[in-house]
Amino acid sequence: MHQPTYLLRIYFLLASLVSLFLLGSCTEREGEGEYFAFEAVPRDGWKPAKPLTFDVLFPEMTTRLSAEVILRMDSRLDRGRVRLLSTLRRSEMILRQDTLEMNFASGVGQWRRPGVVYHEFVAPLAQPLHVPYAGLFVLEVALLDSLPLQGVESVGLHLVDSTRERK
């Protein structure tokens, strides 16, 4: 008489373990939906007429991507701030532009250098990127200042799929 109850408990335990396994496999993994890309800058500096380009794939027209521009600097940094222009385009059609300002110093001689050899400065775009249709687009990052920027090792783009957060 006790045997059917014992078997039911074992079946219930096994069913619970399988359910937990299936639920765990449905959750998003850490780092999933994130994208990092970096473009190297010539040793003689980043010139205003030379925007850096990043390919951005929008698999669906409902895709929304939060974006950050990253500057990796070295000890040759020659000014306290820089202004950037980011342009999302497809062919000649401009879908969106953002201006960014990065401050490398809080005052004269007061450099903000979070690192030993390389320093990363991050500036988020004001709003998530979205497009009217799916496909491959280009995000350009260019200097708005008229002088070349010294000390830039590379320029990066960090994208996070924020589509799931809105649902």
Side-chain angles (χ1 to χ4, degrees):
M1 191 152 201
H2 292 283
Q3 193 171 16
T5 309
Y6 178 72
L7 286 176
L8 281 175
R9 286 183 183 173
I10 290 177
Y11 287 132
F12 179 73
L13 178 64
L14 286 175
S16 298
L17 289 174
V18 169
S19 298
L20 285 174
F21 175 75
L22 291 174
L23 284 174
S25 66
C26 293
T27 61
E28 186 174 314
R29 295 184 183 118
E30 186 177 334
E32 191 174 299
E34 277 191 273
Y35 171 76
F36 283 94
F38 284 88
E39 291 290 326
V41 174
R43 184 83 175 140
D44 61 341
W46 187 15
K47 299 192 175 27
K50 300 286 184 187
L52 297 170
T53 61
F54 300 91
D55 291 334
V56 180
L57 177 64
F58 288 86
E60 300 172 4
M61 77 178 196
T62 58
T63 302
R64 298 178 73 80
L65 301 173
S66 297
E68 296 177 323
V69 175
I70 304 167
L71 295 186
R72 285 189 176 159
M73 311 294 280
D74 59 27
S75 59
R76 299 174 295 134
L77 185 60
D78 66 349
R79 68 185 79 155
R81 73 178 181 99
V82 67
R83 295 177 307 137
L84 305 173
L85 176 68
S86 73
T87 305
L88 182 65
R89 69 173 62 235
R90 178 139 188 198
S91 301
E92 297 303 314
M93 179 176 57
I94 294 176
L95 296 159
R96 171 140 169 230
Q97 288 189 309
D98 269 322
T99 55
L100 306 166
E101 184 173 339
M102 290 186 173
N103 290 309
F104 309 132
S106 57
V108 177
Q110 297 175 339
W111 296 98
R112 296 182 191 156
R113 292 187 172 172
V116 179
V117 179
Y118 290 101
H119 321 286
E120 273 190 5
F121 295 94
V122 178
L125 272 57
Q127 296 177 355
L129 301 173
H130 57 90
V131 293
Y133 49 89
L136 190 62
F137 293 78
V138 172
L139 185 76
E140 291 180 351
V141 180
L143 284 173
L144 279 175
D145 302 328
S146 59
L147 297 173
L149 180 61
Q150 297 298 317
V152 181
E153 179 69 25
S154 61
V155 176
L157 180 64
H158 175 216
L159 299 174
V160 176
D161 187 348
S162 59
T163 307
R164 292 182 193 98
E165 297 170 7
R166 294 179 34 132
K167 291 181 180 179

